Amino acid sequence: MAEEVKLFAKWASPFSRRIEVALKLKGVEYEYIEEDLFNKSPALLNYNPVHKKVPVLVHNGKPIAESLVIMEYIDETWKHNPILPVDPFEKAMARFWAKFIDDKFWAIWPAAKKAMISGGEKEREEGIEEAQLHLKVLETQLKEKKFFGSERLGFVEITASLIVCIVVAQEAMGVEILTQDKFPALHELTQKFADDDVFKQCVPPREKHSAYFKALLGALAASK
Amino acid sequence: MEEHLPDKSPMLLQYNPVHKKIPVLVHKGKPLAESLVIIEYIDEVWKHNPLLPQDPYHRAKARFWAKFADEKCVPAMFRAFSKVGEEQVQAAKELRENLKTLESALEGKQYFGGETIGFLDIAVGWIGCWARMNEEVAGVNMIDAEMIPLLSLWFQKFLELPIIQECLPPQDKLLAHNKEFHKMLMMAAALT
């Protein structure tokens, strides 16, 4: 049976981006389906009735949701160019750190958003402080070189690519959160992504991405 | 090795410096934390009696539902236990609805793992034990047998399995512990 791989995604979502990186690293051909999250397609709702979110990978008609679950599925289905380490302990560590990064992102992003859409100085400072507190934890772990086993993009690196979102958004909104002086290791990581051949293909054009955040966050700021 | 929270042993803090929590598995001196990560590790090192299915798609489904239970059921359950008033009512409602969604993952099977228990049964089975016990302590309905007849039945069968019985803590001791914990939470809630 011919392989049919579809990816339901949103171009601006770093969670969708991660799946594209994984698929491209494996050289898997897929059909990309852009979803309008304000007007979700019946197909998406059918494939992910529980969360109604992207990304969703559909492989030969079988849907898989949740980006880390999808990445593991990709790694187990297309076994060449492994994304996860082979050794069980190293693999477990990779899973641990990926979860850690994702959990931290959901602490960082709301705080960063608060800083970027706030009208008042005090609220902005509070948001920045809170975001930086959580970023500091990531920075410390990264500095101790606990994340990454190798030079190439693996499971943990792909997971960590979420932080690019913060960098683009903060630049678009003119707020300094993830700065090079305070977070040198994280900053170096974003450079690593920018220089990587596969990742470069999967990241939206900077201007388009920036404009997206300006519009989204600008609208949120105005509605306050 | 038993840990006596809130006083954490130096060994625990050394083995899990990131979260400082249990469970931690130490295998040949190498520590692992996060219970679902640990279960997958166990499955990969000791390959007999596999816990996860072999097929990648079914593995993905098991992981998806374990994550769902961890993120959508467990926090709601703890809120239903620790909050009062409207917050408690809403949390219990959310829990019951999310358990209904979880029930669909059974797909008419006896256990999530099929004929025998597997990864997902192990990942979520404890919720049944905890919720059943703490419904009474917290005075709120968590397991609605009418709403989730299949899941209710599964909870019961799971908890009756000899292998699970061996791993459950003494129920009277656990009940006393939970009652005490609830009392402390209520005192804290009254102060805020």
Side-chain angles (χ1 to χ4, degrees):
Chain A
M1 173 171 150
E3 196 100 270
E4 189 196 61
V5 182
K6 295 187 190 188
L7 175 65
F8 289 80
K10 166 124 190 95
W11 69 269
S13 159
F15 298 95
S16 293
R17 295 279 69 70
R18 301 201 289 206
I19 307 307
E20 287 214 279
V21 171
L23 288 169
K24 285 204 168 25
L25 279 172
K26 297 281 189 177
V28 175
E29 301 234 340
Y30 60 97
E31 183 192 344
Y32 178 93
I33 297 156
E34 179 69 25
E35 278 289 328
D36 174 0
L37 297 182
F38 294 106
N39 189 17
K40 294 172 186 177
S41 70
L44 175 66
L45 299 176
N46 175 46
Y47 285 134
N48 190 3
V50 175
H51 299 299
K52 306 177 178 49
K53 286 182 180 176
V54 290
V56 177
L57 187 79
V58 184
H59 183 207
N60 294 334
K62 295 188 284 196
I64 303 115
E66 292 298 295
S67 65
L68 295 184
V69 175
I70 298 172
M71 284 204 284
E72 289 224 40
Y73 175 82
I74 290 170
D75 207 37
E76 286 172 2
T77 304
W78 294 279
K79 296 190 198 296
H80 56 283
N81 295 349
I83 294 171
L84 274 157
V86 172
D87 171 70
F89 181 75
E90 297 303 322
K91 195 185 279 192
M93 289 311 291
R95 286 179 178 135
F96 175 87
W97 285 119
K99 182 174 193 289
F100 178 81
I101 290 165
D102 263 19
D103 288 348
K104 271 284 159 252
F105 179 79
W106 288 117
I108 296 166
W109 182 248
K113 218 162 69 169
K114 177 177 163 184
M116 290 187 284
I117 70 173
S118 72
E121 182 74 36
K122 182 166 177 281
E123 216 186 326
R124 187 177 317 125
E125 288 305 319
E126 276 172 8
I128 294 175
E129 209 180 298
E130 196 185 330
Q132 289 186 332
L133 198 75
H134 296 295
L135 278 167
K136 191 84 203 136
V137 179
L138 276 185
E139 175 77 14
T140 309
Q141 300 300 341
L142 181 51
K143 262 215 201 93
E144 291 174 31
K145 297 258 182 273
K146 284 182 183 169
F147 278 1
F148 307 118
S150 64
E151 285 308 306
R152 62 176 186 86
L153 285 187
F155 191 69
V156 181
E157 284 91 337
I158 301 171
T159 303
S161 65
L162 291 176
I163 60 167
V164 171
C165 216
I166 300 168
V167 171
V168 178
Q170 72 181 14
E171 197 182 84
M173 300 305 286
V175 178
E176 290 194 335
I177 304 169
L178 204 171
T179 55
Q180 187 173 358
D181 60 304
K182 281 206 172 101
F183 306 101
L186 282 170
H187 187 263
E188 197 188 316
L189 184 63
T190 62
Q191 280 308 118
K192 195 174 167 184
F193 294 132
D195 294 336
D196 185 272
D197 285 329
V198 173
F199 194 79
K200 269 197 284 219
Q201 295 174 50
C202 303
V203 77
R206 189 58 166 247
E207 275 162 35
K208 187 181 177 192
H209 209 183
S210 221
Y212 165 81
F213 279 122
K214 244 193 198 122
L216 174 74
L217 298 171
L220 283 172
S223 69
K224 282 179 59 139
Chain B
M1 291 173 72
E2 183 71 24
E3 276 290 323
H4 297 281
L5 308 175
D7 301 317
K8 296 172 185 181
S9 71
M11 212 189 290
L12 173 65
L13 298 175
Q14 178 201 334
Y15 282 138
N16 189 3
V18 176
H19 297 302
K20 305 177 179 47
K21 285 182 177 176
I22 44 168
V24 174
L25 183 79
V26 185
H27 184 215
K28 298 184 186 177
K30 294 197 278 198
L32 279 173
E34 292 298 300
S35 62
L36 296 180
V37 172
I38 296 171
I39 298 172
E40 289 224 40
Y41 174 79
I42 290 169
D43 205 33
E44 285 164 12
V45 172
W46 293 277
K47 293 192 196 295
H48 56 282
N49 296 348
L51 300 173
L52 272 160
Q54 295 304 302
D55 171 71
Y57 178 63
H58 293 119
R59 288 164 78 87
K61 282 211 311 200
R63 287 176 180 136
F64 172 89
W65 285 113
K67 192 170 194 279
F68 176 83
D70 256 17
E71 290 177 0
K72 299 288 182 195
C73 301
V74 174
M77 188 170 69
F78 285 142
R79 281 201 314 276
F81 182 71
S82 63
K83 301 291 177 194
V84 291
E86 189 57 31
E87 249 188 296
Q88 187 193 36
V89 169
Q90 285 309 314
K93 181 167 180 274
E94 191 185 318
L95 170 65
R96 290 192 299 269
E97 284 166 359
N98 289 338
L99 285 175
K100 180 81 197 158
T101 305
L102 182 63
E103 187 183 62
S104 68
L106 267 172
E107 292 170 347
K109 302 190 300 271
Q110 213 187 157
Y111 300 104
F112 289 108
E115 295 295 306
T116 54
I117 60 167
F119 173 81
L120 188 53
D121 300 275
I122 297 168
V124 310
W126 69 276
I127 294 175
C129 173
W130 209 95
R132 280 232 155 87
M133 179 170 285
N134 290 304
E135 276 185 316
E136 228 184 281
V137 176
V140 70
N141 175 238
M142 296 194 201
I143 313 271
D144 182 341
E146 262 180 48
M147 201 174 163
I148 48 165
L150 299 172
L151 198 67
S152 241
L153 183 63
W154 166 79
F155 274 141
Q156 211 175 294
K157 288 203 345 226
F158 178 80
L159 294 171
E160 283 167 7
L161 286 168
I163 198 166
I164 301 302
Q165 288 281 313
E166 274 178 58
C167 300
L168 286 177
Q171 296 296 281
D172 49 354
K173 207 174 164 194
L174 186 61
L175 182 60
H177 169 85
N178 283 331
K179 275 182 172 156
E180 196 54 45
F181 186 35
H182 189 253
K183 224 192 299 178
M184 282 183 355
L185 286 168
M186 292 299 101
M187 271 164 45
L191 291 171
T192 52

